[in-house]
Amino acid sequence: TIVNGFVSENVDLILANASSALQAAASATGDIPVLGTAVTEYGVALNIPDFNGTVGTNVSGTSDLAPLDQQAAMIPEWCPDAKTVGLLYCSAEANSQYQVDTVQAALEALGLTCTQYPFSDTNDMASVTQTAADNSDVLYVPTDNTIANNTGIVDNICHGKIPVFAGEEGVCSGCGVATLSISYEELGRITGEMAVQILTGEADVSELAIQYDTAVTKMYNAANCEALGITVPDGYQPIE
């Protein structure tokens, strides 16, 4: 409804924050430039097979995807004795499935055993989280909107009992011990610069490749690390 209002007003550009907003905007107009932000993987979100980094239509934007192989490598760095990893995510979010599949491949290459624990929505989130925690040495949660909005559910089950590694800073601050995170503030700045290029005629949205924040930061949740008695490796900074 909101996007249709924008189209009726014939706005000059639509900014779509996160995948569902991007999908709605892309479906509503093929003419007005659409910039997504905080969208993990555009090929998955827009159902583009063999996505090459440029949508090629009226859609472009920025991705909040951090290097997943480096996130996977954090787990043996922090928990060298861990052997089993539970991958917890919402099955309704295609970007979450993409992330856990990628992280699982990286972890298995490191010799760890992984099990995926998908939940459909908040109604079964607690029970699935409990099952994952009971059967894993550590948990990994991706950049997942449902978990981000309900970190308290995960924290209530895992706090002081099992370490949770997160896909980004917001989730980590709510229920995790560590993350390798991009800066969403920087992502917004990059998206704003793309908008200026489009609105001034400097760039054609169909030719703009998806952009990323390449300056990732190693971060940890001090309270959760203390509750678990975990020693923080060098090179990590506390989440403020």
Side-chain angles (χ1 to χ4, degrees):
T1 301
I2 293 170
V3 171
N4 287 336
F6 291 159
V7 174
S8 297
E9 294 168 15
N10 195 29
V11 298
D12 296 315
L13 183 144
I14 297 173
L15 175 68
N17 187 12
S19 297
S20 58
L22 177 74
Q23 291 161 344
S27 296
T29 177
D31 301 315
I32 298 172
V34 175
L35 284 181
T37 188
V39 175
T40 304
E41 219 289 327
Y42 282 74
V44 173
L46 299 176
N47 194 26
I48 303 173
D50 302 319
F51 181 60
N52 65 5
T54 301
V55 177
T57 65
N58 63 315
V59 177
S60 188
T62 55
S63 168
D64 61 358
L65 185 66
L68 296 175
D69 57 339
Q70 295 180 41
Q71 287 189 351
M74 290 193 311
I75 293 178
E77 178 188 15
W78 280 71
C79 303
D81 296 329
K83 300 188 182 304
T84 57
V85 180
L87 304 165
L88 179 70
Y89 65 102
C90 179
S91 58
E93 298 187 32
N95 279 316
S96 295
Q97 183 71 65
Y98 169 81
Q99 291 175 82
V100 297
D101 287 345
T102 305
V103 169
Q104 178 170 346
L107 288 170
E108 289 176 345
L110 295 172
L112 285 89
T113 299
C114 300
T115 302
Q116 295 189 10
Y117 292 94
F119 57 87
S120 57
D121 53 37
T122 53
N123 292 324
D124 63 340
M125 184 175 171
S127 61
V128 173
T129 300
Q130 187 66 65
T131 300
D134 290 343
N135 292 279
S136 311
D137 295 328
V138 302
L139 296 186
Y140 173 83
V141 294
T143 303
D144 181 291
N145 292 322
T146 306
I147 293 178
N149 291 327
N150 297 276
T151 55
I153 293 175
V154 179
D155 195 53
N156 285 341
I157 293 169
C158 300
H159 186 80
K161 298 173 184 175
I162 180 173
V164 177
F165 293 86
E168 54 93 11
E169 177 183 352
V171 172
C172 188
S173 66
C175 64
V177 295
T179 185
L180 182 71
S181 182
I182 62 137
S183 165
Y184 282 90
E185 182 176 352
E186 177 64 12
L187 203 67
R189 186 192 65 77
I190 295 170
T191 313
E193 288 184 346
M194 296 175 73
V196 171
Q197 291 176 332
I198 294 167
L199 293 171
T200 59
E202 181 183 344
D204 184 332
V205 63
S206 67
E207 298 175 355
L208 282 177
I210 303 304
Q211 297 189 35
Y212 300 81
D213 175 17
T214 57
V216 292
T217 304
K218 293 180 175 182
M219 312 184 81
Y220 70 94
N221 181 323
N224 282 358
C225 289
E226 182 179 356
L228 286 161
I230 293 178
T231 300
V232 179
D234 294 336
Y236 286 79
Q237 66 182 48
I239 297 173
E240 300 296 339

